[in-house]
Amino acid sequence: MIKPRAALSAAVLLLAITACGGGQSAAPEPGSSASGALNPVKVSVIPILDVAPIYLGEQQGFFAAEGLKLEIVTAQGGAAIVPAVVSGQVDVGFSNFTSLILARSKGLPIKVVAPGVASTGVAGKDFGGVVVKAGSPIKSAADLAGKKVAVNTLNNINDTTVRASIRAAGGDAKNVSFTELAFPDMLAALDKGNVDAVQVVEPFLATAVKNGDRVVASNYVDTAPGLAIAGYFTSQQTATGKADLIKRFTAAMLKSLRYATDNPDAVRQVLLKYTKIDAALTGSLTLPTFPTEVDRASLETLAKLATQDGLVESSPDLTELVP
């Protein structure tokens, strides 16, 4: 998941620079040449399960069919993606929607151009969840009150949805101590007793279950039915200056999402191309859903949680984020 804090400060600085006349040019974009040359489109993603469709779309030629040459730039974390998009270093980025809501609340001119990933909506069978050790006294989300819970980013989609899960179970969501750990470090911290619970996504969730740990809450499912988690976004400047390019990207991305939905085995196989997932583990992964529309109700829920938990003073106009 995307880390917003460094991204926001960096992006605000970038906005100040572009306001003074620097930054990306708004010159008209070229179309495909008569010789059939493809237009490059640079996309920044994190190498996680969520972005499997874009790699499948590249393999299946969906982007080439739209006259695009896909250039995928991987980021170790999400902190660099928002400013890279705002400054025009990349055309499109991938982010969870809470991060985008936070960015938009700071006045950053970004807009969603394609959906990305959503919850399965099935408790106990989702691609993310809260995990405890087998012998833990924690039996449900309500029992997380007063406990130490690891999330990959503080003040973002995972701690807000864990709080929502605790509230849904009748627990005290304010009486939880969250600590920030990278996903690869969480299960070791849980095993050592450094934390009481961890919120993880695949493939770490499947690894935890394989190790005998227990899933006590499906926080995305508890937050809203089929919660939309993340999507692809661009800057307003790119959306205006490269309107046809973005239109073609969206068309290719939608084809990719449909293909991923119809071919789950292909999703599992493509993960081996861009992640370090153990091949023996791919069959046990719970895949997310890959919607072809952004669920507006989910964004409203995430914006409400961001406001309720103090991440933003007030919710931004979501019609500016998702026209």
Side-chain angles (χ1 to χ4, degrees), residues 5-96:
R5 291 169 295 173
L8 292 180
S9 59
V12 168
L13 176 59
L14 288 166
L15 282 178
I17 294 172
T18 55
C20 295
Q24 178 183 353
S25 171
E29 61 176 299
S32 295
S33 69
S35 63
L38 303 179
N39 296 144
V41 56
K42 187 174 291 188
V43 185
S44 183
V45 302
I46 301 173
I48 53 177
L49 185 155
D50 306 36
V51 299
I54 197 170
Y55 286 93
L56 286 175
E58 181 183 36
Q59 284 186 353
Q60 295 299 312
F62 299 146
F63 291 91
E66 293 291 337
L68 299 176
K69 180 181 179 181
L70 189 63
E71 297 182 5
I72 298 177
V73 179
T74 58
Q76 293 301 313
I81 293 181
V82 170
V85 170
V86 170
S87 67
Q89 295 176 47
V90 298
D91 300 303
V92 179
F94 180 85
S95 172
N96 77 70

Side-chain angles (χ1 to χ4, degrees), residues 52-54 56-57 62 115-118 253-268 287-293:
I54 197 170
L56 286 175
F62 299 146
V117 66
M253 198 65 240
L254 293 178
K255 293 177 186 177
S256 303
L257 292 162
R258 293 188 188 100
Y259 185 85
T261 297
D262 294 339
N263 297 274
D265 288 342
V267 172
R268 298 176 189 278
L287 301 183
T289 61
F290 301 110
T292 54
E293 293 183 0

Side-chain angles (χ1 to χ4, degrees), residues 37-276:
L38 303 179
N39 296 144
V41 56
K42 187 174 291 188
V43 185
S44 183
V45 302
I46 301 173
I48 53 177
L49 185 155
D50 306 36
V51 299
I54 197 170
Y55 286 93
L56 286 175
E58 181 183 36
Q59 284 186 353
Q60 295 299 312
F62 299 146
F63 291 91
E66 293 291 337
L68 299 176
K69 180 181 179 181
L70 189 63
E71 297 182 5
I72 298 177
V73 179
T74 58
Q76 293 301 313
I81 293 181
V82 170
V85 170
V86 170
S87 67
Q89 295 176 47
V90 298
D91 300 303
V92 179
F94 180 85
S95 172
N96 77 70
F97 287 128
T98 296
S99 286
L100 297 185
I101 289 167
L102 296 178
R104 192 72 216 190
S105 73
K106 299 292 185 181
L108 301 185
I110 57 175
K111 59 179 289 187
V112 175
V113 297
V117 66
S119 162
T120 64
V122 182
K125 296 181 180 179
D126 200 16
F127 77 109
V130 181
V131 173
V132 299
K133 293 299 294 179
S136 171
I138 299 172
K139 304 299 182 184
S140 73
D143 298 329
L144 294 172
K147 300 298 191 293
K148 189 174 184 180
V149 182
V151 292
N152 75 315
T153 305
L154 293 173
N155 299 319
N156 207 272
I157 192 169
N158 286 330
D159 54 8
T160 59
T161 54
V162 169
R163 288 191 184 98
S165 191
I166 294 170
R167 292 188 193 102
D172 181 5
K174 294 182 179 179
N175 187 25
V176 180
S177 175
F178 286 103
T179 187
E180 185 173 302
L181 289 175
F183 282 131
D185 300 328
M186 287 190 184
L187 297 185
L190 182 65
D191 189 56
K192 294 177 181 177
N194 295 337
V195 294
D196 300 300
V198 296
Q199 193 286 327
V200 290
V201 295
E202 295 289 19
F204 307 102
L205 184 58
T207 301
V209 172
K210 181 181 179 181
N211 292 343
D213 298 330
R214 289 188 292 109
V215 178
V216 295
S218 297
N219 51 300
Y220 301 146
V221 178
D222 295 339
T223 299
L227 184 71
I229 306 298
Y232 295 85
F233 71 104
T234 191
S235 69
Q236 187 60 55
Q237 190 171 3
T238 297
T240 301
K242 297 183 177 182
D244 186 60
L245 184 84
I246 295 302
K247 181 180 179 180
R248 287 183 281 144
F249 171 83
T250 299
M253 198 65 240
L254 293 178
K255 293 177 186 177
S256 303
L257 292 162
R258 293 188 188 100
Y259 185 85
T261 297
D262 294 339
N263 297 274
D265 288 342
V267 172
R268 298 176 189 278
Q269 286 302 310
V270 80
L271 292 175
L272 301 175
K273 173 183 177 180
Y274 68 93
T275 73
K276 297 180 180 180

Side-chain angles (χ1 to χ4, degrees), residues 290-302:
F290 301 110
T292 54
E293 293 183 0
V294 176
D295 179 35
R296 184 58 174 269
S298 290
L299 268 65
E300 291 173 353
T301 295
L302 292 173

